[in-house]
Amino acid sequence: MNNENQNQDNEKEMEKQNSENEVQFTDEQQAKIDELIASKIAKERSKSDERVKQLKEKQAQDLQEAIEKAEKRAKMTADERAEDERKEREAKVQKQMADLEREKREFHTKSLLLDKGISTDMLPLVMGQTDEETNDRLSVLENYVNQQVEQTTKELLKGRQNPSANSNGNQQGGSVNGDNPWADKSFNLTKQMEITQKDPDLAKQMIAQAQPKNYYIKPEI
């Protein structure tokens, strides 16, 4: 009896803990969740209905073609029918070989893209009719990507080396017009602090140009 009471108490305690851990939603939140779930279900059902529709259309088309083929062969002689069947078998074999060749080229192209760190989403753009054509297209794409990266890098470096001009027409923090706050003639701790906080790399460059000998503000390493 004691064990039975203990089990009942344990079950009640577990139900209490589950109730406490259960996430509670307001009516508005629950309505929104139900709306999202219903919308998701509706989209999936629409996709499924479309696939079923396409499958039925394909089946109807195949059936019609089979009927027409049977009617055509019924009017043929035995030799003509045998020749038609031979051509049909040959066409099927050629299609299977073409599909297999395409799968091989897709695999080869994906491997090349992954090796070069390029997304496989580029496969339709890169894959050619032969491996050689694919390699040529990939080389063109790779060269283009490298050129874009190089150009972007140059622009970034140019921006670092030639800061934009301020309202007085001088380079912000530059040393061309003598406004480098680390230089002896324009030494300014306030400006040093401002530039160090905004652009540590620029601050390092200006310090290297000015070569200050006294105490100065410098970026943290």
Side-chain angles (χ1 to χ4, degrees), residues 144-197:
Y144 173 78
V145 171
N146 290 338
Q147 289 175 2
Q148 293 301 309
V149 171
E150 183 178 358
Q151 182 63 29
T152 302
T153 302
K154 287 181 178 179
E155 292 296 330
L156 291 173
L157 292 176
K158 183 179 179 181
R160 293 294 190 188
Q161 296 170 357
N162 300 290
S164 58
N166 59 22
S167 58
N168 295 325
N170 297 326
Q171 288 183 311
Q172 184 179 0
S175 59
V176 176
N177 295 320
D179 59 350
N180 185 330
W182 281 272
D184 292 340
K185 295 181 179 180
S186 53
F187 194 86
N188 188 312
L189 291 176
T190 302
K191 288 186 177 180
Q192 291 178 17
M193 178 64 72
E194 180 181 351
I195 296 173
T196 300
Q197 292 177 345

Side-chain angles (χ1 to χ4, degrees), residues 43-154:
K43 289 181 180 179
E44 293 300 324
R45 183 174 298 164
S46 177
K47 292 180 181 179
S48 177
D49 291 343
E50 181 63 25
R51 287 194 293 269
V52 171
K53 179 183 176 182
Q54 292 176 355
L55 180 59
K56 288 182 178 180
E57 291 176 351
K58 182 66 167 57
Q59 290 175 339
Q61 182 180 354
D62 292 344
L63 178 59
Q64 182 62 31
E65 290 178 354
I67 292 174
E68 292 176 356
K69 186 182 296 183
E71 292 176 346
K72 179 181 177 181
R73 286 181 176 174
K75 300 175 183 179
M76 294 179 180
T77 64
D79 291 341
E80 290 174 339
R81 190 160 45 250
E83 177 63 15
D84 189 63
E85 291 174 353
R86 184 192 67 78
K87 290 181 178 179
E88 182 179 358
R89 290 194 299 270
E90 185 177 286
K92 287 182 179 180
V93 171
Q94 290 178 348
K95 184 178 183 305
Q96 291 174 349
M97 292 178 63
D99 291 343
L100 179 60
E101 180 63 25
R102 179 176 178 81
E103 290 178 2
K104 289 170 60 179
R105 282 188 286 112
E106 285 185 357
F107 179 80
H108 175 70
T109 305
K110 286 182 179 180
S111 298
L112 292 176
L113 290 171
L114 291 173
D115 288 343
K116 295 182 180 298
I118 302 176
S119 172
T120 54
D121 292 339
M122 301 299 291
L123 186 143
L125 177 65
V126 174
M127 191 176 76
Q129 295 298 320
T130 63
D131 288 345
E132 183 177 0
E133 183 180 351
T134 297
N135 291 333
D136 291 341
R137 291 185 180 186
L138 184 58
S139 295
V140 172
L141 175 62
E142 190 175 18
N143 289 337
Y144 173 78
V145 171
N146 290 338
Q147 289 175 2
Q148 293 301 309
V149 171
E150 183 178 358
Q151 182 63 29
T152 302
T153 302
K154 287 181 178 179

Side-chain angles (χ1 to χ4, degrees), residues 10-21:
N10 291 338
E11 290 178 359
K12 290 181 179 179
E13 182 64 24
M14 291 179 64
E15 291 177 357
K16 180 180 179 181
Q17 290 179 358
N18 292 334
S19 177
E20 292 175 350
N21 294 331

